[in-house]
Amino acid sequence: MKKTLLIMALAVLSLASCQKKQSESAEFVYNVDKFYDLEILRYKVPGWDELSLQQKQLVFYLSEAALQGRDILYDQNGRYNLRIRRTLEALYTNYQGDKQSNEFLKMEKYLKRVWFANGIYHHYSEDKFHPEFSQEWFVKALEETGITYDTAILPVMFDPMVLPRRMVQSGRDLVLQSAGNYYGEGVTQIEAEAWYEQHRDTSAEPVWNGLNSRLSKDKFGQLYENVYRVGGLYGQALEKVNYWLEKAMTVAENEQQKEVIRLLVELNRTGDLVTFNKYCIAWVQEQEARVDFVNGFTETYSDPLGITGTWESLVNFKDLDACKRTQAISDNAQWFEDNSPTDKKFKKEEVKGVSAKVITAAMLAGDCYPATPIGINLPNANWIRREYGSKSVSIDNLSHAYAEAAVGNGFNEEFMISDNIRKLADQYGVLCSDLHTDLHECVGHGSGKMLPGVSKDALKECASVIEETRADLFGLYFMADAKLVELGLLPNAEAYKAFYYQQMMNGLLTQLVRIEPGKKVTEAHMQNRQLIAQWVLQHCTNNEVEVINRSGKFYVRINDYEGLRQLYGQLLREIQRITSEGDYEAARVLVDTYAVEVNREWHNNILTRYEALNLAPYKGFVNPVMIPVYDRKGNMTDITLDFTEGYVEQHLRYSRDYSNLPDIN
């Protein structure tokens, strides 16, 4: 199951915009660039100057290891991505014609989209981008500039019928129809599912077969796993990753952290998934260091079968003051489990090893860049979580950047139904957003248990949606509990209503700004939010929630907040049953019924109103530049952060300094 909350959702749309205070630091410019439906932001790294030189060095080395894997994600997202990106970058850099011409500017915008999505497919909708510049101009410009290119990229770029979607979630063959590069040429869904079922580890401590490999066919048509490792697939990049990880070992904060890094180096060298399990266990058990990281093949959202992990990395350090919030949740994890509305037989008798913290991100990479999560809960293996626990983190400096960049954007005024609701959002929206992320990651994903014999793959393509729904519902249900006021996590018994309103508004209406007219909801987290909101709306028995038309505009109105909480609890009870029993058919019916289809009348209405605000529904980041400082003897004495690098400059630099893979892998 996937455990990471890979969203910008409410933080980008409604929750960020409820921050109405003046910017705390007018001199820091959060907004960097804006194009199509995307906006690029900067984020601060508060607490950097409090770190010791050793800790700064550790962050620096881990950040270099993160960036060295950049090309891997491009290749995973599509086998033509590296060729296309490099051809575009060569033309952008070397073109001698008019760089202010319409065709060149359209090409520049297309390249910016490619950088944002780590390939030619939209990072959320997964549809292929359609260039606004012509193929004729592109070919002529390449030839006039003297750039050699692979002609195979032309139909992939310009023909809408060639490899149209990165991942397909329904149809005859999800593997063959998907353009993602997770399976070799000619491998079918039936073959892949049969292979992984045959190789499924049923031991007490199973390995996650397929997590770090591409299932391919040899010249005789026989299936084999092409493993991601040094000397194997993506080996050139993983070798560079290991170089910097080994330097990080020399400045690790403690012996346990040093062992974590050593195991990751061994995993990259061998590809052995037993080593991956050891690494996950060691990573969970390391709790004392201030600096931490995620690095490697982790989440399986982009594989149509939910088996193979994408490359991602996040380097961070603890926000010591904010960690008091998550510590209170961790300390009461058993209480949350015991008081969940789910069936007793699906509850954990003993909650082990739940740790939660608030972190400051220092470097984003792979599937965490430029779009990034605001919360993470790992590892994903249920048996490790059961026996050793998990780590849950909320990334406060990114949430803060979203909020600061959204001050005064007019979103709440347009989409919230009343001044009272807007006042609640202004007072408590950001607080509730952070708290829900904590509950989702720490106790939501960590709650419940699977019955004996239920496979982690039982829910198939529905697993991601169901798991995110389960964690979201857990957080929603307990947001309204008096326990949170008792623990000092909410100031009063009314605050939770800000988040309840925003969740229903977003799930039913405002997240639709991310969907093109005529399209369905396809991304797992968006499906999760719509599933919850639509299920609730259609199961109201006393008009607890409704969508109303006021003067030609649609709004959500909540008439009974406690009744809404009970509906959340009912759905959570069923979602936990589905998860615990591995009930695929029930999961499929829920997803198909509530999570996918779009109300066209609402959609058109929301799009028109949103367009008038001139906002971008998706946001991502540029990273700070880490600059080592040396004395006359060549000793590193400090590492400073520079926040002035632009979006284009950063990606061109990354392509120059971290391009470690050949065009075809």
Side-chain angles (χ1 to χ4, degrees), residues 54-55 57-63 65 241-269 279 291 293:
Q54 178 185 348
Q55 289 171 325
Q57 288 175 316
L58 178 58
V59 171
F60 175 67
Y61 295 146
L62 290 172
S63 296
V241 172
N242 273 1
Y243 170 83
W244 289 101
L245 288 176
E246 287 169 347
K247 291 181 74 70
M249 286 175 62
T250 67
V251 290
E253 295 186 67
N254 55 53
E255 288 301 313
Q256 178 69 8
Q257 187 179 63
K258 185 176 181 179
E259 175 65 5
V260 171
I261 301 172
R262 186 195 70 78
L263 286 167
L264 181 56
V265 169
E266 181 181 343
L267 171 64
N268 289 338
R269 182 178 58 81
Y279 159 72
V291 176
F293 69 101

Side-chain angles (χ1 to χ4, degrees), residues 464-479:
S464 299
V465 182
I466 294 298
E467 177 56 25
E468 293 304 322
T469 301
R470 191 177 73 89
D472 254 11
L473 284 166
F474 201 94
L476 285 164
Y477 181 79
F478 282 109
M479 285 286 291

Side-chain angles (χ1 to χ4, degrees), residues 368-414:
C368 291
Y369 171 86
T372 189
I374 57 172
I376 291 174
N377 183 280
L378 290 171
N380 287 334
N382 283 304
W383 73 269
I384 296 179
R385 299 167 67 82
R386 182 179 65 249
E387 297 298 326
Y388 299 95
S390 62
K391 282 184 182 179
S392 302
V393 301
S394 300
I395 314 174
D396 266 19
N397 64 323
L398 300 187
S399 296
H400 181 82
Y402 288 137
E404 286 292 310
V407 170
N409 67 5
F411 184 93
N412 286 357
E413 288 75 9
E414 177 60 40

Side-chain angles (χ1 to χ4, degrees), residues 185-245:
E185 293 278 4
V187 177
T188 69
Q189 179 179 349
I190 291 175
E191 290 173 327
E193 289 178 337
W195 167 275
Y196 285 117
E197 180 60 29
Q198 180 183 354
H199 292 83
R200 183 161 64 92
D201 187 347
T202 58
S203 66
E205 300 183 355
V207 298
W208 193 301
N209 280 317
L211 182 67
N212 63 340
S213 63
R214 181 192 299 161
L215 188 62
S216 303
K217 287 183 177 180
D218 62 22
K219 63 181 180 180
F220 303 107
Q222 299 300 308
L223 291 172
Y224 74 100
E225 287 186 293
N226 198 356
V227 179
Y228 307 156
R229 63 177 179 82
V230 175
L233 188 55
Y234 302 142
Q236 304 96 319
L238 293 173
E239 189 171 13
K240 295 287 185 64
V241 172
N242 273 1
Y243 170 83
W244 289 101
L245 288 176

Side-chain angles (χ1 to χ4, degrees), residues 124-126 165-175 177-178 189 301 303-304 461-462 464-465 520-525 527 584 591-592 596:
Y124 247 60
S125 73
E126 303 186 275
R165 285 184 57 81
R166 185 181 71 184
M167 184 176 70
V168 174
Q169 295 173 301
S170 62
R172 181 178 54 83
D173 192 306
L174 305 186
V175 172
Q177 290 178 280
S178 298
Q189 179 179 349
Y301 295 98
D303 176 358
E461 75 278 3
C462 298
S464 299
V465 182
K520 298 181 179 182
V521 181
T522 59
E523 197 277 332
H525 296 88
Q527 289 182 337
Y584 169 72
V591 172
D592 290 348
V596 177

Side-chain angles (χ1 to χ4, degrees), residues 87-88 90-111 131-145 147 149 154 157-158:
T87 302
L88 290 165
L91 182 58
Y92 181 84
T93 304
N94 299 300
Y95 185 62
Q96 299 301 308
D98 182 4
K99 290 192 174 183
Q100 296 304 310
S101 67
N102 285 334
E103 294 291 88
F104 186 87
L105 292 176
K106 290 174 181 177
M107 188 273 291
E108 179 184 40
K109 288 174 68 176
Y110 180 81
L111 175 56
E132 295 178 350
F133 55 94
S134 69
Q135 179 174 328
E136 291 72 23
W137 175 86
F138 185 58
V139 170
K140 182 179 179 182
L142 290 172
E143 292 175 350
E144 289 179 349
T145 311
I147 296 172
Y149 65 96
L154 297 178
M157 290 176 62
F158 292 97

Side-chain angles (χ1 to χ4, degrees), residues 346 448-452 454 575-583:
F346 304 137
K449 66 180 181 181
M450 298 176 72
L451 297 184
V454 176
I575 292 289
Q576 183 61 62
R577 182 199 66 78
I578 288 170
T579 300
S580 296
E581 295 180 351
D583 188 345

